Amino acid sequence: NLSPSFQSLAKGLKSTIFGMFMPAKPRILFCHCNYARVVPDEVKSSVLEGLCKSGQAFDAVADLCEMAARRDPALKRLAAGESPVKIAACYPRAVKWLFGGCQAPLNAEHTEVVNMRELNAEDATNTVLNETLTPNLPADGSVAKVEGEKKI
């Protein structure tokens, strides 16, 4: 039989080991795009409903573009941290530069932007809820492409 102190130590070590090798669940940020209205309502509603039903914690903002225009300090808080983040918004390059323009750069290796402008409701919802992170911020100076087409 193992002593209680050894069992306690083993439990702590197990959680430490899992924490080292198991990737953290991404934080989720949902942009409702209230002002620009460039994201289809059906897609926004589906993603928001899926998030609410999932029980996952998430941050929701009215409009990232408006926050960036006001240089809202909350963008720095949202970009901070080493944990991965998924942002349900529009084009990855637009989101990257919204944060960058406010001196709140996103970590390209830990950020995935789910493009609700281009994906249908089902695909956008499934991508946001998927715990796997697929970083997709464009490199500085790269040409943006969506489904093989060059985009501005």
Side-chain angles (χ1 to χ4, degrees):
N1 257 337
L2 300 174
S3 71
S5 61
F6 182 79
Q7 290 175 351
S8 176
L9 177 66
K11 276 185 185 178
L13 184 60
K14 180 179 174 185
S15 66
T16 301
I17 290 171
F18 278 128
M20 288 173 22
F21 295 105
M22 298 296 287
K25 281 175 68 171
R27 294 177 297 130
I28 298 173
L29 172 60
F30 174 83
C31 175
H32 204 275
C33 192
N34 273 356
Y35 302 107
R37 298 184 186 263
V38 296
V39 174
D41 287 336
E42 174 192 352
V43 177
K44 287 190 299 189
S45 297
S46 173
V47 171
L48 189 56
E49 182 179 335
L51 282 167
C52 291
K53 285 181 178 178
S54 75
Q56 290 187 46
F58 66 96
D59 289 307
V61 298
D63 195 287
L64 283 172
C65 294
E66 187 264 342
M67 290 176 76
R70 287 188 297 108
R71 297 200 180 278
D72 191 319
L75 290 176
K76 287 185 179 180
R77 181 186 56 79
L78 294 168
E82 290 298 313
S83 63
V85 62
K86 276 194 183 193
I87 302 172
C90 61
Y91 293 107
R93 70 182 180 283
V95 172
K96 174 184 177 175
W97 294 113
L98 286 173
F99 278 84
C102 294
Q103 286 71 49
L106 295 164
N107 181 330
E109 295 177 10
H110 296 149
T111 304
E112 177 179 4
V113 177
V114 179
N115 188 342
M116 295 191 296
R117 256 181 108 164
E118 295 284 330
L119 295 173
N120 65 39
E122 181 180 357
D123 290 343
T125 302
N126 290 338
T127 303
V128 168
L129 294 176
N130 185 337
E131 291 181 12
T132 302
L133 186 85
T134 306
N136 64 346
L137 291 183
D140 290 348
S142 66
V143 175
K145 292 186 178 185
V146 176
E147 296 181 18
E149 291 182 38
K150 287 184 181 179
K151 297 283 183 176
I152 294 174

